[in-house]
Amino acid sequence: MKKKKIVALFLLFTLNLGNAFAQTVPDQKETLKTTMLVNDYFMKKYADCTTPTYVGKLRSSNLWTRAVYYEGLMELHKIYPREDYYDYAYTWASFHKWSPRYGNTTRNADDQCCGQTYIDLYNICPSPEKIKNIKITMDMLVNTQQNDDWSWIDAIQMGMPILAKLGNTYKEQKYFNKMWDMYSYSRNKHGVNGLYNAKEGLWWRDKDFVPPYKEPNGANCYWSRGNGWVYAALVRVMNEIPANETHRQDYMNDFLAMSKALKKCQREDGFWNASLLDPSNFGGKETSGTSLFVYGMAWGINNGYLNRAEYLPIVVKAWNAMVKDAVHPNGFLGYVQGTGKEPKDGQPVTYDHAPDFEDYGIGCFILAGTEVYKLK
């Protein structure tokens, strides 16, 4: 009898623990509602998606900041396929003639980034003009021996998923091979011995930040959003490549190492600082990097690569913090660091201050929302 009571109590405890654990997952409807609120704020404010941006000078609206927004929009369209989402992306891509910024000969990943959305639109409704130009551009990379284009880690997110998407769309290994050649060059050769520090599981933004450069507290300088770009790129690549792709496990190993490192430096309030290891150097809430980390960790949980019990509390804490502290009632997104390449750039970062470009921060947040939405 005593043994039966113990077993019953254990089962009851396990059930209650499971229920309590399940309740930590953000409400799916509320997550979608918040994600749509932030997106709709952007679509209303920038109703004409063909209008050039103006920050100091006019820039074509297929620049990288806008392209990142459309990455988020296309993921939102996958979970909630509203016609106006598709039309907004299609109109933008068509206006730019389905071309990279500055044309088909650019080797700059920032100018290629828009191609991610072109390929997504092509895969919804294939027609040759949608994919022709971005394929020409990436074939140029594939057909040359140069591998050092991604000399800053942001470029990994801007360009690498395009190669993965083309490889998946055309079922051609050459895109996967080139992707690895370029990624591994950035990882292991740029700077002194590469921009990735395997000992700490984090990335220096570019050669200017490898040692002896240090943060004021003596730590290595790991910029939050820069690491977020790599983290998101790994997710977007692994979403495309087959399970038996030669370097899939290499990408997974880096993803897991980064996850472990990022877990250690989350702030108590759920956000991450702009400087991951030095909270004294322009410390405070920062939404763009936090969004990218939530996106990656939620994806890892959803696909069984990250331990749910270990990482779900991190994701939930970060998502709830952003929803509570960064999202305005009208959908404006606060605490987004402006453009730059290190913690001091794009300041101030506050609840009310708008960054120089709003689009990429919103894109990052939408990416996060789409993966949090999938949590069960």
Side-chain angles (χ1 to χ4, degrees):
M1 187 69 178
K2 186 176 181 181
K3 185 176 180 180
K4 288 183 178 179
K5 285 184 177 180
I6 292 173
V7 171
L9 287 170
F10 175 77
L11 291 174
L12 181 62
F13 171 79
T14 303
L15 180 62
N16 289 337
L17 182 63
N19 289 338
F21 191 68
Q23 289 170 4
T24 64
V25 176
D27 180 80
Q28 193 176 56
K29 290 182 179 178
E30 288 301 313
T31 296
L32 180 60
K33 180 180 177 181
T34 302
T35 305
M36 290 171 62
L37 173 69
V38 172
N39 178 71
D40 290 352
Y41 158 83
F42 184 86
M43 286 181 60
K44 289 175 184 175
K45 184 172 180 178
Y46 301 93
D48 183 355
C49 59
T50 68
T51 302
T53 65
Y54 183 82
V55 179
K57 65 178 182 179
L58 285 175
R59 293 175 174 86
S60 167
S61 69
N62 62 345
L63 77 168
W64 72 267
T65 65
R66 191 62 53 89
V68 170
Y69 161 74
Y70 282 99
E71 291 178 45
L73 180 63
M74 294 308 295
E75 292 303 312
L76 179 56
H77 181 265
K78 288 178 184 178
I79 64 169
Y80 197 76
R82 259 174 44 178
E83 186 176 359
D84 58 332
Y85 293 167
Y86 177 86
D87 290 344
Y88 192 68
Y90 183 91
T91 300
W92 170 77
S94 178
F95 174 79
H96 293 293
K97 299 180 180 178
W98 308 91
S99 294
R101 188 177 179 224
Y102 298 135
N104 296 347
T105 60
T106 180
R107 297 189 69 100
N108 188 316
D110 285 349
D111 301 329
Q112 300 161 356
C113 187
C114 51
Q116 294 189 47
T117 297
Y118 301 162
I119 298 169
D120 286 347
L121 290 167
Y122 170 87
N123 286 329
I124 292 172
C125 184
S127 55
E129 76 278 3
K130 295 176 183 174
I131 206 167
K132 174 185 175 183
N133 292 315
I134 193 60
K135 185 178 185 299
I136 290 172
T137 302
M138 304 316 280
D139 281 348
M140 175 187 63
L141 301 186
V142 169
N143 294 327
T144 59
Q145 294 183 355
Q146 182 177 334
N147 294 316
D148 62 353
D149 298 87
W150 301 339
S151 59
W152 72 108
I153 60 175
D154 315 33
I156 294 173
Q157 195 285 143
M158 307 303 158
M160 188 173 170
I162 303 175
L163 289 165
K165 287 174 180 290
L166 286 173
N168 187 15
T169 299
Y170 286 101
K171 310 304 178 190
E172 292 191 46
Q173 183 64 33
K174 66 181 183 180
Y175 296 108
F176 299 148
N177 292 344
K178 188 63 176 183
M179 179 174 70
W180 171 253
D181 290 344
M182 296 180 72
Y183 175 78
S184 60
Y185 195 102
S186 299
R187 186 187 190 279
N188 303 321
K189 294 183 180 181
H190 270 306
V192 180
N193 293 306
L195 299 177
Y196 179 62
N197 184 353
K199 292 181 179 179
E200 294 190 285
L202 295 169
W203 294 69
W204 293 290
R205 197 271 180 177
D206 57 50
K207 65 180 178 59
D208 294 338
F209 298 97
V210 300
Y213 187 95
K214 296 289 183 182
E215 289 284 72
N217 71 347
N220 282 321
C221 181
Y222 300 124
W223 181 41
S224 178
R225 189 164 66 237
N227 277 268
W229 290 135
V230 179
Y231 200 53
L234 291 170
V235 167
R236 294 177 69 74
V237 163
M238 288 189 288
N239 269 337
E240 299 290 339
I241 61 178
N244 63 350
E245 205 285 316
T246 306
H247 295 287
R248 185 180 180 89
Q249 192 57 50
D250 295 309
Y251 299 133
M252 181 59 69
N253 290 342
D254 287 353
F255 172 78
L256 295 175
M258 289 190 73
S259 299
K260 184 177 180 180
L262 293 167
K263 176 190 171 188
K264 295 177 182 177
C265 49
Q266 185 182 28
R267 291 164 50 94
E268 284 298 317
D269 60 16
F271 286 83
W272 276 264
N273 290 301
S275 177
L276 291 175
L277 300 187
D278 188 354
S280 68
N281 189 27
F282 295 94
K285 303 169 184 177
E286 202 289 302
T287 303
S288 64
T290 299
S291 294
L292 292 167
F293 301 148
V294 168
Y295 170 58
M297 289 184 187
W299 177 86
I301 295 167
N302 287 330
N303 290 276
Y305 301 124
L306 293 179
N307 181 277
R308 181 183 176 89
E310 183 179 356
Y311 283 93
L312 183 62
I314 298 170
V315 169
V316 170
K317 187 176 185 179
W319 176 255
N320 287 342
M322 290 193 295
V323 172
K324 175 179 175 289
D325 296 341
V327 178
H328 288 226
N330 69 344
F332 172 83
L333 196 62
Y335 295 108
V336 175
Q337 185 183 11
T339 55
K341 68 176 194 174
E342 59 180 307
K344 73 176 180 62
D345 293 336
Q347 298 290 336
V349 177
T350 67
Y351 176 72
D352 292 316
H353 182 78
D356 50 359
F357 293 87
E358 288 187 280
D359 36 18
Y360 62 86
I362 289 173
C364 294
F365 183 85
I366 296 172
L367 287 173
T370 60
E371 283 299 326
V372 171
Y373 174 84
K374 297 173 190 174
L375 290 169
K376 302 293 185 182

